[in-house]
Amino acid sequence: MARLFLIICLFCSICCFSQQENEKIKWQENQPLVWSDFKGKPVALSPFKANTNAGISFSWSYSSKNGVAKLDYVIESFFYPQSSWKKEIIKKDYLLAHEQVHFDIAELHARKFRKAISEYEIGENIKKDLIALYKKFEQQQKAMQQKFDSDTNHSKIEEEELKWREFVQEELKKYKAYID
Protein backbone atom coordinates (compact mmCIF):
# COMPACT_ATOMS: atom_id res chain seq x y z
CA MET A 1 0.00 0.00 0.00
CA ALA A 2 2.81 2.40 0.90
CA ARG A 3 4.51 1.60 -2.43
CA LEU A 4 1.30 2.43 -4.35
CA PHE A 5 0.98 5.72 -2.46
CA LEU A 6 4.62 6.58 -3.28
CA ILE A 7 4.07 5.82 -6.98
CA ILE A 8 0.92 7.96 -7.05
CA CYS A 9 2.75 10.86 -5.34
CA LEU A 10 5.67 10.58 -7.77
CA PHE A 11 3.31 10.51 -10.76
CA CYS A 12 1.38 13.57 -9.51
CA SER A 13 4.56 15.55 -8.89
CA ILE A 14 5.88 14.72 -12.37
CA CYS A 15 2.57 15.77 -13.92
CA CYS A 16 2.52 19.04 -11.95
CA PHE A 17 6.14 19.79 -12.86
CA SER A 18 5.49 19.08 -16.54
CA GLN A 19 2.40 21.27 -16.50
CA GLN A 20 4.31 24.07 -14.81
CA GLU A 21 7.14 23.86 -17.35
CA ASN A 22 4.62 24.10 -20.21
CA GLU A 23 2.62 26.92 -18.65
CA LYS A 24 1.95 29.71 -21.06
CA ILE A 25 -0.21 32.80 -21.14
CA LYS A 26 -1.99 33.60 -24.37
CA TRP A 27 -1.91 37.26 -25.42
CA GLN A 28 -5.23 38.96 -24.73
CA GLU A 29 -6.04 42.57 -25.44
CA ASN A 30 -7.47 43.39 -22.02
CA GLN A 31 -5.19 41.20 -19.93
CA PRO A 32 -1.76 42.81 -19.59
CA LEU A 33 1.12 41.12 -17.84
CA VAL A 34 1.51 41.44 -14.08
CA TRP A 35 4.68 40.85 -12.12
CA SER A 36 3.32 37.61 -10.65
CA ASP A 37 3.38 36.19 -14.22
CA PHE A 38 7.19 36.23 -14.08
CA LYS A 39 7.97 32.92 -12.39
CA GLY A 40 11.40 32.04 -13.71
CA LYS A 41 14.61 32.18 -11.75
CA PRO A 42 16.53 35.42 -12.46
CA VAL A 43 19.88 35.10 -14.19
CA ALA A 44 22.19 36.32 -11.44
CA LEU A 45 24.91 37.68 -13.72
CA SER A 46 22.49 39.41 -16.08
CA PRO A 47 22.71 43.20 -16.00
CA PHE A 48 18.96 43.36 -16.73
CA LYS A 49 16.18 43.68 -14.15
CA ALA A 50 13.67 41.52 -16.01
CA ASN A 51 13.33 39.20 -18.98
CA THR A 52 10.26 38.35 -21.04
CA ASN A 53 10.11 35.13 -22.98
CA ALA A 54 7.33 35.39 -25.55
CA GLY A 55 6.81 33.91 -28.98
CA ILE A 56 4.51 32.68 -31.68
CA SER A 57 3.05 29.19 -31.99
CA PHE A 58 1.69 27.82 -35.26
CA SER A 59 -0.23 24.69 -36.14
CA TRP A 60 -2.08 23.80 -39.29
CA SER A 61 -3.85 21.06 -41.18
CA TYR A 62 -4.76 20.68 -44.81
CA SER A 63 -7.53 18.69 -46.41
CA SER A 64 -9.16 18.37 -49.79
CA LYS A 65 -12.72 17.26 -50.37
CA ASN A 66 -14.31 17.08 -53.81
CA GLY A 67 -11.41 19.05 -55.23
CA VAL A 68 -11.81 21.88 -52.73
CA ALA A 69 -8.72 22.57 -50.67
CA LYS A 70 -9.11 23.64 -47.06
CA LEU A 71 -6.40 25.02 -44.81
CA ASP A 72 -7.08 25.23 -41.07
CA TYR A 73 -4.56 26.97 -38.86
CA VAL A 74 -4.01 28.41 -35.43
CA ILE A 75 -1.47 31.15 -34.80
CA GLU A 76 -1.10 32.42 -31.26
CA SER A 77 1.32 34.50 -29.27
CA PHE A 78 2.29 33.37 -25.81
CA PHE A 79 4.20 34.53 -22.75
CA TYR A 80 6.14 31.79 -20.96
CA PRO A 81 6.12 32.43 -17.18
CA GLN A 82 8.73 29.83 -16.24
CA SER A 83 11.23 31.31 -18.70
CA SER A 84 10.47 34.92 -17.76
CA TRP A 85 11.95 36.48 -14.66
CA LYS A 86 12.41 39.63 -12.62
CA LYS A 87 14.81 40.94 -10.03
CA GLU A 88 14.31 43.70 -7.48
CA ILE A 89 12.92 46.65 -9.40
CA ILE A 90 12.68 50.34 -8.52
CA LYS A 91 10.42 51.63 -11.33
CA LYS A 92 8.05 48.67 -11.30
CA ASP A 93 5.25 50.07 -13.49
CA TYR A 94 7.67 51.54 -16.01
CA LEU A 95 9.63 48.30 -16.42
CA LEU A 96 6.48 46.17 -16.54
CA ALA A 97 5.24 48.35 -19.41
CA HIS A 98 8.57 47.69 -21.19
CA GLU A 99 8.14 43.95 -20.74
CA GLN A 100 4.54 44.21 -22.02
CA VAL A 101 5.85 45.76 -25.24
CA HIS A 102 7.95 42.62 -25.77
CA PHE A 103 4.78 40.52 -25.46
CA ASP A 104 2.91 42.94 -27.73
CA ILE A 105 5.63 42.62 -30.38
CA ALA A 106 5.05 38.85 -30.40
CA GLU A 107 1.31 39.46 -30.86
CA LEU A 108 1.95 41.98 -33.64
CA HIS A 109 3.89 39.38 -35.59
CA ALA A 110 1.25 36.74 -34.93
CA ARG A 111 -1.28 39.12 -36.52
CA LYS A 112 0.99 39.80 -39.49
CA PHE A 113 1.42 36.06 -39.89
CA ARG A 114 -2.36 35.48 -39.72
CA LYS A 115 -2.82 38.11 -42.43
CA ALA A 116 -0.23 36.42 -44.65
CA ILE A 117 -1.84 32.99 -44.15
CA SER A 118 -5.30 34.41 -44.90
CA GLU A 119 -3.93 35.68 -48.23
CA TYR A 120 -1.99 32.49 -48.99
CA GLU A 121 -3.07 30.56 -52.05
CA ILE A 122 -2.64 26.84 -51.56
CA GLY A 123 -0.05 25.46 -53.91
CA GLU A 124 1.89 22.25 -54.41
CA ASN A 125 4.47 23.03 -51.75
CA ILE A 126 2.10 23.86 -48.90
CA LYS A 127 4.29 22.46 -46.12
CA LYS A 128 7.41 24.20 -47.41
CA ASP A 129 5.50 27.45 -47.98
CA LEU A 130 3.96 27.49 -44.50
CA ILE A 131 7.25 26.68 -42.79
CA ALA A 132 8.92 29.49 -44.74
CA LEU A 133 6.18 31.93 -43.73
CA TYR A 134 6.48 30.92 -40.08
CA LYS A 135 10.26 31.36 -40.15
CA LYS A 136 9.89 34.75 -41.85
CA PHE A 137 7.59 36.15 -39.15
CA GLU A 138 9.53 34.54 -36.32
CA GLN A 139 12.76 36.14 -37.62
CA GLN A 140 11.04 39.51 -38.05
CA GLN A 141 9.68 39.28 -34.51
CA LYS A 142 13.11 38.49 -33.06
CA ALA A 143 14.70 41.33 -35.04
CA MET A 144 12.07 43.80 -33.77
CA GLN A 145 12.57 42.59 -30.19
CA GLN A 146 16.30 43.24 -30.51
CA LYS A 147 15.77 46.66 -32.13
CA PHE A 148 13.34 47.63 -29.37
CA ASP A 149 15.90 46.79 -26.69
CA SER A 150 18.71 48.42 -28.66
CA ASP A 151 16.82 51.66 -29.35
CA THR A 152 15.65 51.96 -25.73
CA ASN A 153 18.88 50.59 -24.21
CA HIS A 154 16.72 47.99 -22.47
CA SER A 155 14.22 50.63 -21.26
CA LYS A 156 16.82 53.13 -20.04
CA ILE A 157 16.16 55.74 -22.75
CA GLU A 158 12.70 56.89 -21.71
CA GLU A 159 12.01 59.05 -24.77
CA GLU A 160 12.70 56.11 -27.11
CA GLU A 161 10.73 53.81 -24.82
CA LEU A 162 7.63 55.99 -25.13
CA LYS A 163 8.03 56.20 -28.93
CA TRP A 164 8.21 52.42 -29.14
CA ARG A 165 5.18 51.91 -26.92
CA GLU A 166 3.14 54.21 -29.15
CA PHE A 167 4.50 52.65 -32.34
CA VAL A 168 3.67 49.07 -31.28
CA GLN A 169 0.16 50.08 -30.18
CA GLU A 170 -0.45 51.76 -33.56
CA GLU A 171 0.83 48.67 -35.39
CA LEU A 172 -1.46 46.42 -33.35
CA LYS A 173 -4.39 48.65 -34.33
CA LYS A 174 -3.43 48.41 -38.02
CA TYR A 175 -3.69 44.61 -37.79
CA LYS A 176 -6.75 44.53 -35.51
CA ALA A 177 -8.68 42.54 -38.13
CA TYR A 178 -6.20 39.70 -37.54
CA ILE A 179 -6.62 39.37 -33.80
CA ASP A 180 -7.18 35.77 -32.71
Side-chain angles (χ1 to χ4, degrees):
M1 185 69 159
R3 179 181 261 174
L4 178 61
F5 179 73
L6 182 62
I7 291 171
I8 291 171
C9 287
L10 181 61
F11 177 75
C12 289
S13 64
I14 290 171
C15 288
C16 290
F17 179 74
S18 296
Q19 233 176 355
Q20 191 179 42
E21 283 298 310
N22 294 327
E23 182 183 3
K24 54 189 174 183
I25 298 171
K26 183 179 171 189
W27 190 95
Q28 294 181 38
E29 190 166 18
N30 296 316
Q31 190 172 17
L33 294 172
V34 294
W35 282 121
S36 59
D37 293 329
F38 293 73
K39 297 178 182 178
K41 182 179 178 184
V43 177
L45 297 177
S46 174
F48 309 120
K49 297 292 183 187
N51 181 64
T52 292
N53 188 319
I56 301 169
S57 71
F58 172 49
S59 62
W60 62 276
S61 64
Y62 168 81
S63 62
S64 179
K65 186 174 182 178
N66 300 328
V68 178
K70 183 179 179 195
L71 175 62
D72 291 312
Y73 60 91
V74 176
I75 300 168
E76 296 174 312
S77 58
F78 288 104
F79 171 85
Y80 300 93
Q82 299 302 327
S83 302
S84 301
W85 51 263
K86 67 181 181 326
K87 295 179 182 177
E88 288 299 314
I89 304 162
I90 296 170
K91 294 176 155 184
K92 290 184 179 191
D93 293 342
Y94 177 80
L95 188 56
L96 184 59
H98 174 85
E99 299 306 319
Q100 181 66 51
V101 174
H102 281 294
F103 195 13
D104 292 344
I105 289 171
E107 172 61 18
L108 172 61
H109 287 82
R111 291 181 189 188
K112 289 180 174 185
F113 187 20
R114 288 182 201 113
K115 179 181 186 295
I117 293 283
S118 73
E119 296 168 350
Y120 173 72
E121 291 186 29
I122 298 172
E124 287 184 29
N125 298 315
I126 187 169
K127 183 177 181 179
K128 182 180 175 185
D129 294 345
L130 295 178
I131 290 170
L133 276 173
Y134 172 76
K135 286 181 179 179
K136 171 186 170 183
F137 289 101
E138 188 63 23
Q139 288 170 349
Q140 288 178 1
Q141 185 239 161
K142 287 178 182 177
M144 185 180 271
Q145 298 281 12
Q146 290 172 349
K147 182 154 178 45
F148 170 53
D149 273 336
S150 174
D151 288 357
T152 65
N153 192 15
H154 297 272
S155 82
K156 292 177 185 168
I157 305 173
E158 290 188 26
E159 185 177 320
E160 287 299 314
E161 177 77 24
L162 297 176
K163 286 180 188 176
W164 266 93
R165 288 181 194 178
E166 188 176 312
F167 169 73
V168 172
Q169 288 307 307
E170 289 301 314
E171 289 294 297
L172 285 169
K173 287 177 188 171
K174 274 199 248 181
Y175 291 91
K176 187 147 182 99
Y178 300 97
I179 196 167
D180 184 34

